[in-house]
Amino acid sequence: MKSDHVAGGPAIETAGLVKTFGDNRAVDGVDLRIERGTVYGLLGPNGAGKTTTVRMLATLLRPDGGEAHVFGHDVVREADAVRSRVSLTGQYASVDEDLTGTENLVLLARLTGHSKKASYDRAAQLLAAFGLSEAAGRQVKNYSGGMRRRIDIAASILNTPDLLFLDEPTTGLDPRSRNQVWEIVRAVVDQGTTVLLTTQYLDEADQLASRIAVIDKGKVIAEGTKGELKASVGAGAVHVRLRDAEKRPDAELLLRQALDADVQLEPDPVALTARVGGNGDLNGCGPSEKASRALAELARAGIIVDNFSLGQPSLDEVFLALTGSPTDHDRTTEAQTKEATA
């Protein structure tokens, strides 16, 4: 792979990227091409190799094999040139919790060469933009989780980077705080920054990323736009919500027969999902006809359906189809649901 210094070249390009830790091949031949000015998602469960990939691209780890270039600069031979153009926000807040919001940002601004006045001006600007002005004089240890993530991202863009690595930025946040972080990411991209986002939340990748690589056990097992990934596992997904949870085993059997497809039992005890292929069966029935037939079979069996829909597969279903298992986030949600209903 040749280094591309042309202004229109990719933000990131890797070929056969490898990192091992003892006998563990954490990153196993990853190929990526990420265009400038986009949000690119690395989607996968814990331990898939996402963070290790980011740390190599950010020059924090040396690859054991393959090549990687950031804006045309080799991450090993031209590490300083790479560092001058990137910023990294990890999974945990990196600001000093004993300092106030203002003190943290001013300190970092001074360390990166800003004058005292410019440092205070930039700190105030970012605190206002991130909705933290009222908390500017409070110690960060008294911030909520969402506020900590926001000030952490603010610290990452004191000097607007060409490339921002966001490593699972919303882990542990409530839905409102996650939405606030998403809005910040969109605003950063609108200013021309490229974002490489790692996440185990499928809805986060769906919301933010224009292209997604699904990574599992150190390998990229699928890559494309959201639409391409969803189309790769079938033309549609049938979602069924029953009135009575006790009827779910019977509904599962009927749906399996009527749709000629595997049926997934959702964490919700009255919900089921099945993927429907894009091609018709031997009788010429396509996805819509199969779905109608399944609904009729459920009605004949006396199984009451509160909600029934046929739509494009979700990224959850894509991940399940590609890896054979749900993400860690899905497994946690299912465990919590079982506990709540026990």
Side-chain angles (χ1 to χ4, degrees):
M1 180 179 64
K2 292 183 178 180
S3 180
D4 181 5
H5 293 274
V6 178
I12 294 174
E13 192 168 18
T14 73
L17 197 61
V18 172
K19 185 64 186 178
T20 59
F21 298 99
D23 294 331
N24 177 32
R25 206 169 175 89
V27 176
D28 191 8
V30 166
D31 298 334
L32 295 173
R33 182 182 174 92
I34 302 174
E35 301 301 329
R36 301 180 188 217
T38 64
V39 179
Y40 191 96
L42 274 184
L43 175 63
N46 284 333
K50 305 185 303 294
T51 296
T52 302
T53 299
V54 165
R55 289 175 66 82
M56 285 190 286
L57 293 173
T59 75
L60 298 177
L61 285 176
R62 188 183 182 95
D64 293 319
E67 296 182 65
H69 291 83
V70 174
F71 296 110
H73 299 291
D74 186 279
V75 298
V76 176
R77 296 190 300 270
E78 302 173 277
D80 287 343
V82 172
R83 291 170 189 154
S84 71
R85 304 190 65 175
V86 306
S87 186
L88 169 64
T89 296
Q91 296 179 24
Y92 306 101
S94 59
V95 292
D96 189 326
E97 295 197 342
D98 289 325
L99 299 180
T100 67
T102 295
E103 288 169 344
N104 265 290
L105 296 183
V106 168
L107 173 63
L108 291 170
R110 294 288 280 155
L111 289 172
T112 54
H114 291 272
S115 68
K116 185 174 181 180
K117 181 180 185 306
S119 296
Y120 276 96
D121 288 345
R122 181 61 172 158
Q125 179 187 38
L126 287 170
L127 289 165
F130 284 36
L132 294 170
S133 293
E134 292 185 4
R138 286 161 46 191
Q139 289 178 301
V140 171
K141 65 184 178 184
N142 296 318
Y143 283 12
S144 67
M147 293 166 69
R148 292 186 190 200
R149 296 309 290 155
R150 279 184 275 159
I151 197 165
D152 211 29
I153 297 174
S156 298
I157 61 171
L158 272 164
N159 295 312
T160 306
D162 294 320
L163 172 62
L164 176 60
F165 296 106
L166 289 178
D167 190 13
E168 301 195 15
T170 63
T171 296
L173 297 187
D174 60 77
R176 181 174 177 228
S177 296
R178 291 179 69 204
N179 283 326
Q180 291 173 335
V181 171
W182 291 352
E183 288 303 314
I184 290 168
V185 173
R186 294 185 183 106
V188 168
V189 175
D190 286 344
Q191 295 175 3
T193 295
T194 304
V195 173
L196 175 57
L197 168 76
T198 77
T199 182
Q200 59 178 312
Y201 295 120
L202 298 125
D203 58 334
E204 185 159 83
D206 208 351
Q207 284 280 336
L208 296 174
S210 55
R211 293 189 73 84
I212 298 167
V214 180
I215 186 168
D216 192 34
K217 298 176 183 176
K219 296 179 180 289
V220 173
I221 59 175
E223 197 274 348
T225 65
K226 293 173 284 188
E228 289 169 347
L229 291 176
K230 291 175 180 179
S232 71
V233 300
V238 172
H239 302 279
V240 178
R241 185 176 174 82
L242 307 175
R243 177 74 56 84
D244 186 354
E246 293 181 358
K247 295 287 187 179
R248 190 161 78 161
D250 295 334
E252 179 188 5
L253 178 60
L254 284 174
L255 287 174
R256 194 185 308 276
Q257 294 171 342
L259 298 171
D260 190 24
D262 290 334
V263 178
Q264 176 186 347
L265 302 180
E266 301 292 346
D268 183 338
V270 296
L272 308 92
T273 297
R275 293 192 306 279
V276 184
N279 298 320
D281 60 19
L282 294 176
N283 297 318
C285 290
S288 297
E289 291 81 6
K290 289 181 181 179
S292 297
R293 186 171 61 193
L295 185 59
E297 291 291 338
L298 291 172
R300 274 194 288 270
I303 299 173
I304 300 174
V305 176
D306 278 344
N307 186 277
F308 186 98
S309 64
L310 173 65
Q312 193 178 43
S314 68
L315 280 180
D316 300 73
E317 292 150 354
V318 171
F319 192 88
L320 179 65
L322 292 171
T323 67
S325 63
T327 62
D328 288 352
H329 175 244
D330 295 329
R331 285 190 284 268
T332 299
T333 301
E334 184 172 2
Q336 290 171 339
T337 301
K338 288 180 178 178
E339 181 180 344
T341 56

